[in-house]
Amino acid sequence: MISLKTLPIPPDSQLRNLGWDWMLGQDTLPYLTNEVVTIKTAEADAYYEATNELFEMFVAAGQKIIDENRFAELGIPENLIDLIKLSWDDDRNIHLYGRFDLAGGIDGREIKLIEFNADTATCLPETAVVQYAHLKANGLNDSQQFNAVFETLTGQFEELLAINPDLQPTLLLSAMRDFPEDDTNVALLGEAAREAGFDIDFDFIDNVDFSAEEGIFWQNPKNGQFEKMDFWFKLVPWEAMAEEEPELVQILTEIVRKRLAVVLNPAYTLLFQSKYVLKILWELYPNHPLLLETDTKPLPNKPCVEKVLFGREGANTRILNADGSERQAVDGDYGDYPKIYQEYVEFPQDSAGHTYQAGVIYAGEACGLGFRRGGLILDNTAGFVGHVIE
């Protein structure tokens, strides 16, 4: 059973004191609770170690996919393969950050990988700032939280500058219009980049100009001038860009090939984002204690979860009983993608029957823990719950 602790003072005033007023937007705070999950130091350490080990396993899986030319199995669009290989083979294209979704880890349950949101992970502001502010507002010490997200992200941006000395420290961060949650995630990344020494700007992706010969440009509204940006972060899924903007993918391939800009997260993160990689991991590490059996067909005589290769926020997910009958399902917009089947594992629950999935932010190393709370299938209605180490 999940153990919860009530922290009665909300984080609002603390966020203002920190200068993070933009975190008080309508899309961020309403779904936060005044409860936090209590965990032990050993449990926090286990999340840290498991996530670091999992990332190394994903790197090995990525190399296997490239070596064996298994892109089609993963549902990788053909027009992205060159860019994936280019970014994979050049160590200056570092993976900035992602979020591992994990079952277990508390209440004596084994940690199990559910999936890795490697390309366009969210929950950054909640994990990095809001739960920290909630802790401080209630007079608790920040050592009582597994949370160094902001500092670790800043370190990633410092590393980017150090390994790309031939480029200018100009960073443009882009999301799609009308997704306020994405805007707050991008804003946090921008704050970390600014602290690391980048000159940063924000704009929606439809306002960015791309040239295969010259690079990435942004029109500064203050003076109308087009400015070259040597680093570009996009909170836009690679597979969506490949399907909807194939010409842009072709241009970006040339931009990366000619070292005109660094694109974050790199295209190779799609190898980790495709849920087919869960099957590759099982091939590489059969019966590994952190993994769940995964195949392209339902697992015989075992309850399992049917997932589409590029679904998000629980959409198009079905839980199947051992006899193949449907226990629960969530509709969505991703039903045309191929499917994989992952062994079902129960999430820890609280006394009210809510389930909890751990999310560990990874930015060069594991750096922060938060929990999503909801039903059997965690979808876009799930809440965020912070934690305290006791």
Side-chain angles (χ1 to χ4, degrees):
M1 187 72 69
I2 286 277
S3 174
L4 296 172
K5 180 187 183 82
T6 299
L7 300 183
I9 303 169
D12 304 41
S13 60
Q14 196 72 26
L15 286 167
R16 288 193 182 90
N17 294 341
L18 287 166
W20 295 77
D21 300 60
W22 51 268
M23 278 297 312
L24 297 165
Q26 285 308 299
D27 200 60
T28 308
L29 284 180
Y31 82 123
L32 299 169
T33 72
N34 66 350
E35 295 170 320
V36 293
V37 176
T38 62
I39 67 169
K40 302 179 180 71
T41 299
E43 292 168 334
D45 291 344
Y47 280 125
Y48 175 81
E49 289 161 12
T51 305
N52 289 336
E53 183 177 355
L54 282 166
F55 188 80
E56 293 303 316
M57 292 160 66
F58 269 84
V59 171
Q63 192 64 61
K64 182 179 175 71
I65 293 159
I66 291 171
D67 290 346
E68 298 177 4
N69 195 32
R70 297 178 68 176
F71 300 100
E73 291 172 57
L74 276 84
I76 304 290
E78 201 169 323
N79 60 346
L80 270 175
I81 292 174
D82 278 355
L83 186 50
I84 286 171
K85 289 178 176 177
L86 279 170
S87 60
W88 183 268
D89 289 337
D90 186 340
D91 290 342
R92 293 171 294 188
N93 295 282
I94 67 171
H95 177 240
L96 183 63
Y97 83 102
R99 189 189 76 241
F100 282 91
D101 289 341
L102 307 168
I106 36 181
D107 198 21
R109 296 169 186 244
E110 282 188 312
I111 294 172
K112 296 288 184 182
L113 171 69
I114 300 299
E115 58 200 49
F116 183 23
N117 298 275
D119 180 19
T120 54
T122 54
C123 284
L124 276 178
E126 301 92 319
T127 308
V129 181
V130 177
Q131 67 169 343
Y132 166 78
H134 196 195
L135 193 77
K136 298 297 282 182
N138 286 273
L140 296 171
N141 192 305
D142 54 11
S143 66
Q144 291 179 262
Q145 207 168 72
F146 170 23
N147 183 4
V149 175
F150 188 77
E151 299 86 343
T152 309
L153 276 171
T154 302
Q156 284 286 82
F157 282 113
E158 289 171 347
E159 173 75 1
L160 265 172
L161 287 177
I163 62 177
N164 291 282
D166 54 320
L167 301 179
Q168 295 299 307
T170 51
L171 171 67
L172 179 66
L173 300 106
S174 299
M176 295 187 290
R177 290 183 190 274
D178 303 320
F179 291 91
E181 180 192 351
D182 289 359
D183 296 343
T184 56
N185 279 271
V186 166
L188 184 133
L189 288 166
E191 291 290 335
R194 183 185 283 120
E195 191 130 322
F198 275 92
D199 298 322
I200 65 160
D201 289 291
F202 301 94
D203 213 333
F204 297 113
I205 187 171
D206 51 71
N207 280 344
V208 187
D209 280 19
F210 303 91
S211 163
E213 288 76 40
E214 298 179 59
I216 299 172
F217 291 84
W218 171 72
Q219 189 173 17
N220 189 329
K222 292 175 185 171
N223 57 21
Q225 297 295 309
F226 281 90
E227 299 176 2
K228 185 176 185 296
M229 311 302 284
D230 283 7
F231 295 82
W232 181 53
F233 174 85
K234 44 107 216 127
L235 201 65
V236 183
W238 275 112
E239 75 275 10
M241 290 169 62
E243 291 161 15
E244 297 164 22
E245 301 284 349
E247 287 180 17
L248 174 56
V249 167
Q250 198 172 351
I251 292 169
L252 287 171
T253 302
E254 291 309 306
I255 285 172
V256 171
R257 192 193 312 276
K258 296 171 184 172
R259 286 285 295 165
L260 296 169
V262 168
V263 181
L264 303 162
N265 270 313
Y268 66 72
T269 50
L270 199 55
L271 302 178
F272 304 158
Q273 184 77 33
S274 170
K275 294 183 185 65
Y276 194 95
V277 76
L278 300 169
K279 178 181 183 295
I280 304 279
L281 286 165
W282 191 256
E283 290 175 21
L284 273 171
Y285 307 99
N287 302 303
H288 190 286
L290 292 172
L291 300 179
L292 295 165
E293 183 180 353
T294 305
D295 208 340
T296 51
K297 53 189 183 298
L299 307 175
N301 306 312
K302 284 184 182 179
C304 58
V305 182
E306 179 188 89
K307 301 178 176 183
V308 290
L309 296 192
F310 292 113
R312 280 175 164 77
E313 294 188 315
N316 301 100
T317 297
R318 293 199 305 153
I319 298 175
L320 305 177
N321 296 313
D323 62 3
S325 60
E326 184 179 283
R327 181 175 175 186
Q328 192 163 342
V330 172
D331 291 333
D333 300 328
Y334 308 103
D336 293 339
Y337 285 117
K339 298 172 176 64
I340 54 98
Y341 297 84
Q342 182 183 50
E343 183 182 349
Y344 174 73
V345 63
E346 287 191 350
F347 290 143
Q349 294 188 355
D350 62 21
S351 57
H354 299 119
T355 65
Y356 289 74
Q357 176 181 268
V360 179
I361 303 294
Y362 183 92
E365 66 175 320
C367 57
L369 169 69
F371 291 89
R372 292 180 71 219
R373 174 164 81 180
L376 277 182
I377 298 173
L378 290 161
D379 57 18
N380 60 5
T381 64
F384 178 89
V385 183
H387 73 283
V388 63
I389 298 171
E390 292 195 325

Coordinates of all heavy atoms in Angstrom, one line a residue, residues 38-66:
T38 N 5.4 9.0 0.4 CA 6.6 8.9 1.3 C 7.4 7.7 0.9 O 6.8 6.6 0.6 CB 6.2 8.7 2.8 OG1 5.4 7.6 3.0 CG2 5.4 9.9 3.3
I39 N 8.7 7.9 0.7 CA 9.6 6.8 0.3 C 10.8 6.8 1.2 O 11.0 7.7 2.0 CB 10.0 6.9 -1.2 CG1 10.9 8.1 -1.4 CG2 8.8 6.9 -2.1 CD1 11.6 8.1 -2.7
K40 N 11.5 5.7 1.2 CA 12.7 5.5 2.0 C 13.9 5.9 1.2 O 13.9 5.9 0.0 CB 12.8 4.1 2.5 CG 11.6 3.6 3.4 CD 11.9 2.2 3.8 CE 10.7 1.7 4.7 NZ 9.5 1.5 3.8
T41 N 15.0 6.2 1.9 CA 16.3 6.6 1.2 C 16.7 5.4 0.2 O 17.1 5.6 -0.9 CB 17.4 6.9 2.2 OG1 17.0 8.0 3.0 CG2 18.7 7.2 1.5
A42 N 16.6 4.2 0.7 CA 17.0 3.0 -0.1 C 16.2 2.9 -1.3 O 16.7 2.5 -2.4 CB 16.9 1.8 0.7
E43 N 14.9 3.3 -1.3 CA 14.0 3.2 -2.4 C 14.4 4.3 -3.5 O 14.4 4.1 -4.7 CB 12.5 3.4 -2.0 CG 12.0 2.2 -1.2 CD 10.7 2.4 -0.5 OE1 10.4 3.6 -0.2 OE2 10.0 1.4 -0.3
A44 N 14.7 5.5 -3.0 CA 15.2 6.6 -3.9 C 16.5 6.1 -4.6 O 16.7 6.3 -5.8 CB 15.4 7.9 -3.1
D45 N 17.4 5.5 -3.8 CA 18.7 5.1 -4.4 C 18.4 4.0 -5.4 O 19.1 4.0 -6.5 CB 19.6 4.5 -3.3 CG 20.1 5.6 -2.3 OD1 20.0 6.8 -2.7 OD2 20.6 5.2 -1.2
A46 N 17.4 3.1 -5.2 CA 17.1 2.0 -6.1 C 16.6 2.6 -7.4 O 16.9 2.1 -8.5 CB 16.2 1.1 -5.5
Y47 N 15.7 3.6 -7.4 CA 15.2 4.3 -8.6 C 16.4 4.9 -9.4 O 16.5 4.8 -10.6 CB 14.2 5.4 -8.2 CG 12.8 4.9 -7.9 CD1 12.2 5.3 -6.7 CD2 12.1 4.2 -8.9 CE1 10.9 4.9 -6.5 CE2 10.8 3.8 -8.6 CZ 10.2 4.1 -7.4 OH 8.9 3.7 -7.1
Y48 N 17.3 5.5 -8.7 CA 18.5 6.1 -9.3 C 19.3 5.1 -10.0 O 19.6 5.2 -11.2 CB 19.3 6.9 -8.3 CG 20.6 7.5 -8.8 CD1 20.6 8.7 -9.4 CD2 21.8 6.8 -8.6 CE1 21.8 9.2 -9.9 CE2 23.0 7.3 -9.1 CZ 23.0 8.5 -9.7 OH 24.2 9.0 -10.2
E49 N 19.6 4.0 -9.4 CA 20.5 3.0 -9.9 C 19.8 2.3 -11.1 O 20.4 2.0 -12.1 CB 20.9 2.0 -8.8 CG 21.9 2.6 -7.8 CD 22.0 1.9 -6.5 OE1 21.5 0.7 -6.5 OE2 22.6 2.4 -5.6
A50 N 18.5 2.0 -10.9 CA 17.8 1.3 -12.0 C 17.7 2.1 -13.2 O 17.9 1.6 -14.4 CB 16.4 0.9 -11.5
T51 N 17.5 3.4 -13.1 CA 17.3 4.2 -14.3 C 18.6 4.4 -15.0 O 18.7 4.3 -16.3 CB 16.8 5.6 -13.9 OG1 15.5 5.4 -13.2 CG2 16.5 6.5 -15.1
N52 N 19.7 4.5 -14.3 CA 21.0 4.6 -14.9 C 21.4 3.3 -15.7 O 21.9 3.3 -16.8 CB 22.1 4.9 -13.9 CG 22.0 6.3 -13.4 OD1 21.5 7.2 -14.0 ND2 22.6 6.5 -12.2
E53 N 21.0 2.2 -15.1 CA 21.3 0.9 -15.7 C 20.4 0.8 -17.0 O 20.9 0.3 -18.0 CB 21.0 -0.3 -14.8 CG 21.3 -1.6 -15.3 CD 21.1 -2.8 -14.4 OE1 20.8 -2.5 -13.2 OE2 21.3 -3.9 -14.8
L54 N 19.2 1.2 -16.9 CA 18.3 1.1 -18.0 C 18.7 1.9 -19.2 O 18.7 1.5 -20.3 CB 16.8 1.5 -17.6 CG 16.0 0.5 -16.8 CD1 14.8 1.1 -16.2 CD2 15.6 -0.7 -17.7
F55 N 19.3 3.1 -18.9 CA 19.7 3.9 -20.0 C 20.9 3.2 -20.8 O 20.9 3.2 -22.0 CB 20.2 5.3 -19.6 CG 20.5 6.2 -20.7 CD1 19.5 6.8 -21.4 CD2 21.8 6.4 -21.2 CE1 19.7 7.7 -22.5 CE2 22.1 7.2 -22.3 CZ 21.0 7.9 -22.9
E56 N 21.8 2.6 -20.1 CA 22.9 1.8 -20.7 C 22.3 0.7 -21.6 O 22.8 0.4 -22.7 CB 23.8 1.3 -19.7 CG 24.6 2.4 -18.9 CD 25.4 3.3 -19.9 OE1 26.0 2.8 -20.8 OE2 25.4 4.5 -19.7
M57 N 21.3 0.1 -21.1 CA 20.6 -1.0 -21.8 C 20.0 -0.5 -23.1 O 20.0 -1.1 -24.2 CB 19.6 -1.7 -20.9 CG 20.3 -2.5 -19.8 SD 19.1 -2.9 -18.4 CE 18.0 -4.0 -19.2
F58 N 19.4 0.7 -23.0 CA 18.8 1.3 -24.2 C 19.8 1.6 -25.2 O 19.6 1.5 -26.4 CB 18.0 2.6 -23.8 CG 16.5 2.3 -23.5 CD1 16.1 1.9 -22.2 CD2 15.5 2.5 -24.4 CE1 14.8 1.7 -21.9 CE2 14.2 2.3 -24.2 CZ 13.8 1.8 -22.9
V59 N 21.0 2.1 -24.8 CA 22.1 2.4 -25.7 C 22.5 1.1 -26.5 O 22.7 1.1 -27.7 CB 23.3 3.1 -25.0 CG1 24.5 3.2 -25.9 CG2 22.9 4.4 -24.5
A60 N 22.6 0.0 -25.7 CA 22.9 -1.2 -26.4 C 21.9 -1.7 -27.4 O 22.2 -2.2 -28.4 CB 23.1 -2.3 -25.3
A61 N 20.6 -1.5 -27.0 CA 19.5 -1.8 -27.9 C 19.5 -0.9 -29.1 O 19.3 -1.4 -30.3 CB 18.2 -1.6 -27.2
G62 N 19.8 0.4 -29.0 CA 19.9 1.3 -30.1 C 21.0 0.8 -31.1 O 20.8 0.8 -32.3
Q63 N 22.2 0.4 -30.6 CA 23.3 -0.1 -31.4 C 22.9 -1.3 -32.2 O 23.2 -1.5 -33.3 CB 24.5 -0.3 -30.6 CG 25.8 -0.6 -31.4 CD 26.2 0.7 -32.2 OE1 26.4 1.7 -31.6 NE2 26.2 0.6 -33.5
K64 N 22.1 -2.2 -31.5 CA 21.7 -3.5 -32.1 C 20.7 -3.2 -33.3 O 20.8 -3.8 -34.3 CB 21.0 -4.3 -31.1 CG 20.5 -5.7 -31.6 CD 19.8 -6.5 -30.4 CE 19.2 -7.8 -30.9 NZ 20.2 -8.8 -31.3
I65 N 19.8 -2.2 -33.0 CA 18.8 -1.8 -34.1 C 19.6 -1.3 -35.3 O 19.3 -1.7 -36.5 CB 17.9 -0.8 -33.6 CG1 17.0 -1.4 -32.5 CG2 17.0 -0.2 -34.7 CD1 16.3 -0.3 -31.6
I66 N 20.6 -0.4 -35.1 CA 21.3 0.1 -36.2 C 22.2 -0.9 -36.9 O 22.1 -1.0 -38.1 CB 22.2 1.3 -35.7 CG1 21.3 2.5 -35.3 CG2 23.2 1.7 -36.8 CD1 22.0 3.6 -34.6

